[in-house]
Each structure stands twice: as C-alpha cells, then as structure tokens.
Amino acid sequence: MFSKLLLSLKIKLGKTTREELSVKACIQRGMKVGENCHGLASSTIDYAHCWLIEIGDKVTFAPQVYLLAHDASTKRHLDYTKIAKIKIKDNVFIGARAFIMPGITIGENSIVAAGSIVTKSVPEGSVVAGNPARIISKTKDYIDKHKEGLEEAKIYDSSWTIGENITKEMCITMSKELDCSLGYVK
C-alpha cells in the first residue's frame, strides 16, 4: 500500500527522488518544517504519524536520523499504540543515526550526538549523547571547548571537501596530518 502511495505521489509531483518525495508527502500530511532546515531528506520520518512532528528553523539533520512519533510496544497487550508529538526547536543539530522517540521536545540550540537514542526531552542549550541519551554538557561549553581547539588544530578551507572536489593527494595529506589529532574543515 505504501509503495502505491509513493507511486501516486511521484506521478503528482513529477520527477522527484524517493527521499524528497518522503519529505514532501509528510509536509502535505501536516508535518511542520521551519526555514533553513538541512538534511531532512536523508532521515527516516514516521509517515504514519508525520503530522505529529514539528521542526523549527535552522535545524540540521545528519544522515539517517530517525523520527518516530508512535510506539507499538503497547499494541499486543492493550490493543492501542502510543502516539505523541516530536518537537524539535530552532538551531538544533541532530547527529547521524540518532533516534528520536515519540513525546520528545528538543530545546533550542541543542546538539544530539550521533547514534543517540533520545527517550527524554532535551533542555534548551544542551548536548546529549548515548543510549538512552543523557546530558553531557551545555552547548555553550561544548562550542567554547572547540573554539579553544581551533587555536592548535589543523584547519582546512572548503577546498578540502568533496563538494569542492578534494583531490586524492589532498585526501592522503589530510589523512596523514590527522593521524593522531583533531582538525576542522570549513
């Protein structure tokens, strides 16, 4: 049934990738997405309850984030599935393969580390990590630590990225230079 829906939406929307189709279909069904959001197309969105998902402005999703607005663990015993909103406030970064459970609010200016399973709401300005995700620092402290790190670390401009066609030689150089240290790329 889902593949038929995707096909019918693809026909209506024209030439669109499956990822773009998913986001557009969710928005059409009521998911709210703010301005300047990035990476949502590479996420898995709970299409069955996407209207319960609200995403603020300037939110970045790393690859393979999972947004789940329902939990069927109660279905067998109670004959009901739990459902709840997911609210992601402004200026949030969610790392690769993070899993956001139903009923979660992620406060403004927060960071969710890669691979985290978020089972409790995240206060504004917090960095969370782990399974289950726990607060590990304040966002300000995390950023200040990395500002200090910029002073001693190897810095690369945007020419050192795939988007700017980094060369094989540059890849080898970067790999050698970062053998035992942290660097930053623009």
Side-chain angles (χ1 to χ4, degrees), residues 39-177:
L40 188 55
S42 68
S43 298
T44 299
I45 304 165
D46 187 351
Y47 181 77
H49 297 90
C50 58
W51 53 90
L52 296 175
I53 300 171
E54 299 176 2
I55 301 165
D57 297 333
K58 299 178 185 171
V59 175
T60 299
F61 294 88
Q64 300 178 359
V65 168
Y66 205 107
L67 303 175
L68 188 63
H70 82 281
D71 176 354
S73 65
T74 56
K75 183 71 173 171
R76 179 176 293 156
H77 300 285
L78 303 176
D79 203 28
Y80 288 96
T81 296
K82 296 187 301 184
I83 56 173
K85 281 191 162 187
I86 293 174
K87 296 180 183 180
I88 301 170
K89 302 294 185 170
D90 297 342
N91 302 309
V92 169
F93 175 85
I94 303 178
R97 294 192 173 184
F99 202 106
I100 314 300
M101 295 295 290
I104 300 302
T105 296
I106 300 176
E108 287 187 27
N109 302 308
S110 292
I111 298 171
V112 176
S116 296
I117 310 296
V118 184
T119 60
K120 293 184 180 175
S121 290
V122 176
E124 179 178 332
S126 298
V127 178
V128 298
N131 178 9
R134 289 183 165 73
I135 297 172
I136 59 171
S137 76
K138 292 289 184 190
T139 303
K140 182 187 178 326
D141 296 339
Y142 176 80
I143 296 303
D144 287 347
K145 174 184 166 186
H146 285 280
K147 280 181 184 176
E148 290 175 18
L150 280 168
E151 295 171 11
E152 297 178 18
K154 181 68 178 163
I155 306 293
Y156 302 92
D157 65 28
S158 61
S159 68
W160 292 78
T161 65
I162 289 176
E164 296 288 329
N165 295 319
I166 187 171
T167 66
K168 185 171 181 156
E169 293 78 23
M170 292 165 80
C171 292
I172 293 167
T173 299
M174 182 186 280
S175 181
K176 286 179 183 176
E177 290 176 353

Side-chain angles (χ1 to χ4, degrees), residues 2-17:
F2 182 68
S3 59
K4 286 182 184 178
L5 176 64
L6 282 176
L7 182 59
S8 69
L9 284 171
K10 190 166 191 167
I11 291 167
K12 289 179 189 174
L13 295 173
K15 197 172 188 178
T16 307
T17 68

